[in-house]
Every structure is written in C-alpha cells, then in structure tokens.
C-alpha cells in the first residue's frame, strides 16, 4: 500500500513537472523570438542527471535535483525572485524599518566622527589664512566635510576646516539575507561569514598561548629570511566593518581592543617583528576617498593603493601621496555581496571605484598569468631597481597588482592557498621565493589563521633550498 502511495505521489509530481515543460517547448515552437529572450543561463547550474533507475527511497529527490538544474524558465524565475526580494528589502529599509525602530526603541541623537583621531598632520603654519578656497565638501552620513585650498604663495593644494562624518545611532537590528550578507546603514552591505562578526565585536581574542605559537612561526621565518638576505614583511588587512563601523547594524562591542590589533601589538612587543595592519591609514584616507566597495567585501582601488603605501612605508621604500596622482571615478568591477544576497542591483544606488594613474612612464614586459583570486601573476618592469619582489596573499592582493608591479624590476604575486588551506606552489613560484629580495605574506583579517600554514610552507621551501 505504501509503495502504491509513493508511486501515486511520483505521478502527481511528474505531472506538475511536465506542464511547464510543455509550455516551454510550445513557446520554443510557436514563438522562437520570445524563447531566445527567455533562454539564458545565470551561470550557477548544478550538474544533475535524469534518474534512469527507479528507487522509491530517493527517486523523488533525484528527480527534484534534476528539475532544479534544468527547469524551464529557470534563469528568468531566479531573476524575478531576486528582483522581488530586492524590491521588498528596499521597501522595508527605505520606508518601514526606521518607523518600526522609532516605535520600538525610541529616537536617538546622531553624532559625528571625531576628526582628532584621524588627522595626523596639521596644516603648515605658513598656509594658514593664505590660501584660496577651491572646493568645499559638506559633511553628511556618507562624506566628511572639508575645504580644499591652494596656497597663494607656493600654489600647493592643502585641506582644512575638517568636519566629521555624521553617524546614525538609531537601533538597526542585524539580519542576514541570502548567503551570509548583512545589510547595514545607508545601503552598505557586509559579509557575515567566516566569523567576521566576532572580529568586529571583539569576542574571538586569541589566548596568549595561541599568540605565542603563531609568533614562533613568524620568528622562524624571519630568522631564515635574515640568513638569506630576504627582507620579510607580514601584512594583515582589516575587515571592511573595522574601517566602516558607522554603517554596521547595532552590535554590542564586547572589547574595543580587538583580536588583530592585540595580536599585532603582542608580536611587535615580544619579538620585534612588525606586522602591517593599515586600519588607521584606511580610516584616514576615507576622509577623501571611499576605500572599500559598498556592495563587495573587498577594498577598492583607492583602498588597495593606501594599503600598498603602508607596505612600502614598513619596507623603507619611498611612498606616494594619492593626492598627487590623477584619480577618476569609474564603474566597479565586482559586487560579490549582491550576488551572495540574491539582491537586485537596480534597487540600490550606483556604486563606483577609482581609476588611478600610477607611474605611466613605467613599462611592463614578460607579463604572465592573471589577476584572479587563485591566479599567479608575474611581470618585469623597467623601473630600474633590480629588486625581485614576491607577494603571497589572498584575493585582496588582486587590486594591489597594478601598483606593485611598477615598483619592482621583477614581481611574482601569487595566491596563498587552495581550499584545503595548504598549497604546493608551482616550481616557478618556489624558485621566486628562494631568489626573492623582498617577500611579503598577506591575509585579510578574517583569514588570519590561514596565514600560518602559508608561513610553514615558505619555511619548508627555503630550508629545502639549502639541500
């Protein structure tokens, strides 16, 4: 009896499946132009084959998997679902959420960001009251306020009359949409995966024993590099929410002295090793340029440039002020949080990135590889310093490539690990590490634990080179 009921259910299920297919092929036969418009692929289909053998225990599940991968109008239905979901999310955020928050939690007064903690340089005394105002930026929730002046004496550009960005302090309950996407204030999106919220709240601080173990590996590699005449530099890059906490939902910060800052200070105090953690530099740069994508978890080209200059400063290499370069706004090339959240981009304000003209006089040759997260990129340049530079990192390194390759005669910039967190590097990368003059190893904050398997691997490569 049970088997008959299962067969009946399967027949009903098959009937439901056949109806859209009949409609689909009717459209294809009677309206081919309409079929062409509907027949496109979003690129995320899974491999699923039609079940050829009948097994009552899993036939329905296998059939459903096949249908989900091959359903007629599949891409169109997904697009409609994303647009409806994005539209509803936008309506809630723009029209309902604030009213509900005021009703449930009451009104809170907005504040502004303290400029004293960001400004590390004062206007030169000879410029005060001697400049002509060129442009004034008003402060609001997404921009700092300042006035751009030109000195009447030396014609140099400088900035003064700074006003902190406004901060919305109203209660914003955290919510996750799609796959680990956290909507923030003013249409900012954040990534909630990989324990990112714990880094932000300060709830995952390392124990001293853990810091000692990690530091010991770093010291081993430092000593090995010192023996071989390789200049070594470690880099941990801030999570987006550390740079833009003013846009995060309302979380209780358990400890303001958070995991990464605490670890960086501990290593420097107990070993002398300096780790670049350019949190302050990125916050300062945000006065003038947005440094992370609004709809992506990565930094943009301005952020990557600022991070690159922080690396150069630690290496003792001359740096470049972004104000001195030609910078133009351009469309972004990535918006991974939109995709992860299944959000409709048309419901959100346009995003932008920057196009930075950096050292156009430098010519690149022998370019190999690509700038993808798991790619290996190498190039020669005629910058003339005869330095072999190797950079090992994650996807954040990709936007740094345009600047790094122009500052060293030979550069190899490679991924840090595969999905198992360990990597057997190709032979050309192994030889580049052994022949490096400068070696930089990077991880974004939420992947800090993945830095140490990479360090172990490099130690192994350098020791094997002595055999």
């Amino acid at each position: 009896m049970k088997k008959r009921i299962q067969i009946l259910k399967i027949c009903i299920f098959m009937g439901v499946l056949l109806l859209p297919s009949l409609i689909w092929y009717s459209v294809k036969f009677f309206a081919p132009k309409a079929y062409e418009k509907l027949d496109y692929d979003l690129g995320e289909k899974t491999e699923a084959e039609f079940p050829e053998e009948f097994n009552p225990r899993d036939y329905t599940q296998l059939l459903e998997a096949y249908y989900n991968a091959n359903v007629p109008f599949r891409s169109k239905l997904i697009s409609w679902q994303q647009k409806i979901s994005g539209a509803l999310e936008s309506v809630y955020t723009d029209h309902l959420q604030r009213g509900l928050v005021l009703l449930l939690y009451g009104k809170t007064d907005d504040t502004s960001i303290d400029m004293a903690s960001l400004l590390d340089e004062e206007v030169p005394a000879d410029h005060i009251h001697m400049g002509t105002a060129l442009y004034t930026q008003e402060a609001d929730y997404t921009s700092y306020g300042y006035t751009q002046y030109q000195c009447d004496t030396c014609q140099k550009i400088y900035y003064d009359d700074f006003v902190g960005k406004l901060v919305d302090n109203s209660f914003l309950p955290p919510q996750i949409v799609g796959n680990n996407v956290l909507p923030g204030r003013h249409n900012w999106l954040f990534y909630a995966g990989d324990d990112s919220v714990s880094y932000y709240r300060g709830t995952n601080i390392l124990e001293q024993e853990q810091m000692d173990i990690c530091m010991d590996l770093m010291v081993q590699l430092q000593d090995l590099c010192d023996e071989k005449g390789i200049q070594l530099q470690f880099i941990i890059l801030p999570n987006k929410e550390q740079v833009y906490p003013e846009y995060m939902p309302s979380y209780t910060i358990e400890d303001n002295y958070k995991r990464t800052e605490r670890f960086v200070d501990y290593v420097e105090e107990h070993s002398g090793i300096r780790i670049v953690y350019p949190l302050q530099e990125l916050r300062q740069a945000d006065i003038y340029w947005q440094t992370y994508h609004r709809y992506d978890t990565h930094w943009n080209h301005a952020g990557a440039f600022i991070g690159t200059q922080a690396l150069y400063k630690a290496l003792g290499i001359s740096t470049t002020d972004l104000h001195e370069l030609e910078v133009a706004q351009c469309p972004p090339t990535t918006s991974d949080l939109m995709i992860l959240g299944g959000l409709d981009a048309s419901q959100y304000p346009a995003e932008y990135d920057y196009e930075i003209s950096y050292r156009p006089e430098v010519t690149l040759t022998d370019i190999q590889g690509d700038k993808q997260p798991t790619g290996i990129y190498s190039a020669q340049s005629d910058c003339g310093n005869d330095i072999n530079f190797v950079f090992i990192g994650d996807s954040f390194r990709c936007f740094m490539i345009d600047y790094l390759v122009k500052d060293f005669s030979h550069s190899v910039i490679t991924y840090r690990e595969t999905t198992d967190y360990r990597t057997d590097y190709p032979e050309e990368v192994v030889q580049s590490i052994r022949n490096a003059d400068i070696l930089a190893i990077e991880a974004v904050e939420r992947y800090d634990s993945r830095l140490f398997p990479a360090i172990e691997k490099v130690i192994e490569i350098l020791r094997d080179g002595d055999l």
Side-chain angles (χ1 to χ4, degrees):
M1 183 66 180
K2 289 183 179 180
K3 188 174 181 179
R4 291 180 180 178
I5 293 174
Q6 279 187 318
I7 294 174
L8 179 61
K9 288 180 179 179
I10 291 171
C11 291
I12 295 173
F13 181 65
M14 287 292 294
V16 172
L17 293 182
L18 287 173
L19 181 59
S21 299
L22 290 173
I23 297 174
W24 178 244
Y25 288 110
S26 296
V27 171
K28 182 178 181 180
F29 182 77
F30 293 106
K33 291 185 178 180
Y35 176 84
E36 289 179 4
K37 292 181 179 180
L38 294 171
D39 185 31
Y40 62 91
D41 178 28
L42 290 175
E44 74 298 308
K45 287 185 178 181
T46 57
E47 295 295 330
E49 298 181 357
F50 189 88
E52 297 181 357
E53 297 183 2
F54 176 76
N55 187 329
R57 290 178 299 177
D58 60 3
Y59 190 80
T60 303
Q61 289 88 345
L62 294 173
L63 196 60
E64 183 179 7
Y66 171 78
Y67 182 74
N68 287 338
N70 299 277
V71 58
F73 311 109
R74 177 179 182 276
S75 295
K76 194 68 176 177
L77 291 172
I78 291 175
S79 296
W80 286 344
Q81 186 272 334
Q82 289 180 342
K83 289 183 179 180
I84 293 171
S85 176
L88 291 175
E89 182 69 31
S90 178
V91 169
Y92 170 73
T93 301
D94 295 341
H95 304 289
L96 299 178
Q97 186 179 63
R98 194 166 188 83
L100 290 173
V101 167
L102 289 173
L103 178 64
L104 295 173
Y105 301 99
K107 189 180 187 309
T108 55
D109 294 330
D110 295 344
T111 60
S112 63
I113 293 178
D114 179 19
M115 295 300 301
S117 63
L118 296 178
L119 298 175
D120 58 353
E121 295 182 2
E122 296 183 357
V123 178
D126 58 347
H127 284 165
I128 297 177
H129 305 304
M130 296 180 59
T132 302
L134 301 179
Y135 169 76
T136 297
Q137 170 71 55
E138 299 294 333
D140 56 25
Y141 291 104
T142 59
S143 302
Y144 289 88
Y146 59 83
T147 300
Q148 183 188 70
Y149 292 92
Q150 184 173 39
C151 178
D152 294 336
T153 303
C154 66
Q155 306 304 310
K156 288 184 178 180
I157 301 297
Y158 66 95
Y159 298 81
D160 199 1
D161 306 328
F162 293 96
V163 180
K165 182 193 296 185
L166 298 178
V167 178
D168 178 4
N169 292 316
S170 62
F171 183 80
L172 178 62
Q175 60 171 330
I176 303 295
V177 298
N179 187 11
N180 285 318
V181 176
L182 187 66
R185 304 174 196 273
H186 305 288
N187 292 303
W188 278 68
L189 302 176
F190 296 89
Y191 180 57
D194 297 311
D195 205 31
S196 296
V197 174
S198 296
Y199 285 87
Y200 174 69
R201 297 185 60 212
T203 59
N204 62 346
I205 294 170
L206 293 171
E207 299 290 338
Q208 181 176 331
E209 182 180 359
Q210 294 173 297
M211 291 194 288
D212 285 335
I213 293 171
C214 296
M215 182 177 65
D216 180 63
L217 273 175
M218 300 175 90
V219 170
Q220 287 184 49
L221 181 55
Q222 181 69 67
D223 291 343
L224 197 55
C225 286
D226 289 344
E227 291 176 12
K228 297 179 178 298
I230 300 173
Q231 186 175 3
L232 174 66
Q233 185 60 60
F234 300 106
I235 318 162
I236 300 178
L237 300 178
N239 291 339
K240 176 179 171 179
E241 53 274 11
Q242 308 288 23
V243 181
Y244 289 98
E246 64 269 25
Y247 300 133
M248 279 288 283
S250 299
Y251 281 106
T252 300
I253 305 300
E254 299 294 337
D255 195 329
N256 282 304
Y257 192 26
K258 300 177 184 179
R259 172 184 173 120
T260 305
E261 288 180 287
R262 191 182 294 260
F263 176 69
V264 168
D265 290 345
Y266 184 84
V267 170
E268 184 168 351
E269 179 182 349
H270 291 85
S271 71
I273 291 175
R274 182 168 183 266
I275 305 171
V276 174
Y277 180 57
L279 177 60
Q280 184 70 1
E281 292 90 337
L282 289 162
R283 285 177 174 170
Q284 289 171 343
D286 184 55
I287 297 174
Y288 313 102
W289 302 278
Q290 182 178 310
T291 55
Y292 281 65
H293 287 291
R294 183 181 291 193
Y295 308 134
D296 195 283
T297 189
H298 297 86
W299 58 11
N300 58 22
H301 278 95
F305 184 87
I306 298 301
T308 301
Q309 301 311 302
L311 169 63
Y312 289 173
K313 183 178 180 180
L315 291 171
I317 297 173
S318 61
T319 60
T320 303
D321 189 335
L322 189 52
H323 287 297
E324 299 174 357
L325 303 179
E326 182 179 335
V327 181
Q329 288 189 4
C330 64
T333 57
T334 179
S335 56
D336 62 1
L337 295 176
M338 282 284 185
I339 298 170
L340 286 174
L343 300 173
D344 179 10
S346 67
Q347 302 297 320
Y348 289 78
E351 167 77 301
Y352 61 88
D353 197 351
Y354 300 95
E355 187 174 295
I356 300 171
S357 178
Y358 183 66
R359 302 195 69 179
E361 73 280 4
V362 175
T363 302
L364 300 180
T365 57
D366 195 22
I367 299 172
Q368 298 182 33
D370 57 53
K371 302 176 184 179
Q372 297 304 311
T374 58
I376 301 172
Y377 188 92
S378 64
Q380 307 270 3
S381 84
D382 60 2
C383 68
N385 58 21
D386 199 29
I387 293 176
N388 292 320
F389 175 76
V390 178
F391 190 102
I392 301 171
D394 50 38
S395 57
F396 272 68
R397 80 190 189 284
C398 297
F399 276 13
M400 301 173 72
I401 291 176
D402 291 339
Y403 318 121
L404 293 171
V405 294
K406 291 190 174 182
D407 287 317
F408 303 101
S409 294
H410 180 68
S411 302
V412 174
I413 303 170
T414 183
Y415 57 88
R416 189 185 56 242
E417 77 277 309
T418 53
T419 54
D420 61 358
Y421 310 150
R422 298 299 298 266
T423 296
D424 289 325
Y425 295 118
E427 184 60 26
E428 62 267 26
V429 173
V430 170
Q431 292 304 322
S432 296
I433 291 172
R434 290 172 179 163
N435 297 325
D437 297 306
I438 298 176
L439 172 63
I441 305 180
E442 172 269 329
V444 69
E445 188 170 3
R446 62 179 178 270
Y447 291 154
D448 57 359
S449 62
R450 303 186 186 183
L451 191 66
F452 304 101
I455 293 173
E456 288 180 319
K457 187 63 182 179
V458 174
I459 290 173
E460 180 185 327
I461 288 171
L462 292 178
R463 284 178 177 167
D464 288 349
D466 294 334
L467 300 179

